[in-house]
């Protein structure tokens, strides 16, 4: 169980780093599968978790990209 957890944590860190290091990274679930050598279920779970953590956002066409929050305008 611990080795599986370590693998998942390492993978999440790797995927997150890929998006944070490359500002223009935009991947679909299928592209993430190939890029990180993971299955669809794992890809969807990791990308979904990063969306929930406000690291990534999902575009209208279903791809994932880095989330850049909009700054509130002064009143």
């Amino acid at each position: 169980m611990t080795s599986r957890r370590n693998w998942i944590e390492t993978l999440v860190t790797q995927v997150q780093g890929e998006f944070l290091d490359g500002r223009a990274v935009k991947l679909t679930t299928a592209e993430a599968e190939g890029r990180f050598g993971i299955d669809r279920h794992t890809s969807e779970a990791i990308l979904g978790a990063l969306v929930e953590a406000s690291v990534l956002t999902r575009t209208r066409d279903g791809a994932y990209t880095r989330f850049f929050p909009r700054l509130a305008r002064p009143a």
Side-chain angles (χ1 to χ4, degrees):
M1 182 75 162
T2 301
S3 65
R4 174 98 171 135
R5 181 181 176 145
N6 289 341
W7 176 76
I8 291 169
E9 288 173 352
T10 300
L11 188 55
V12 169
T13 302
Q14 177 187 1
V15 172
Q16 177 177 315
E18 190 78 19
F19 282 94
L20 295 179
D21 291 343
R23 292 181 66 102
V25 174
K26 181 178 176 184
L27 297 173
T28 64
T29 303
E31 291 168 334
E33 291 172 42
R35 189 172 204 153
F36 302 109
I38 54 179
D39 61 62
R40 178 168 294 278
H41 178 74
T42 304
S43 178
E44 289 172 350
I46 290 172
L47 294 171
L50 290 171
V51 168
E52 288 179 24
S54 297
V55 173
L56 302 180
T57 188
R58 194 159 188 197
T59 64
R60 290 182 189 156
D61 63 355
Y64 293 86
T65 189
R66 184 174 174 186
F67 175 71
F68 290 99
R70 298 176 194 251
L71 297 175
R73 295 184 187 170

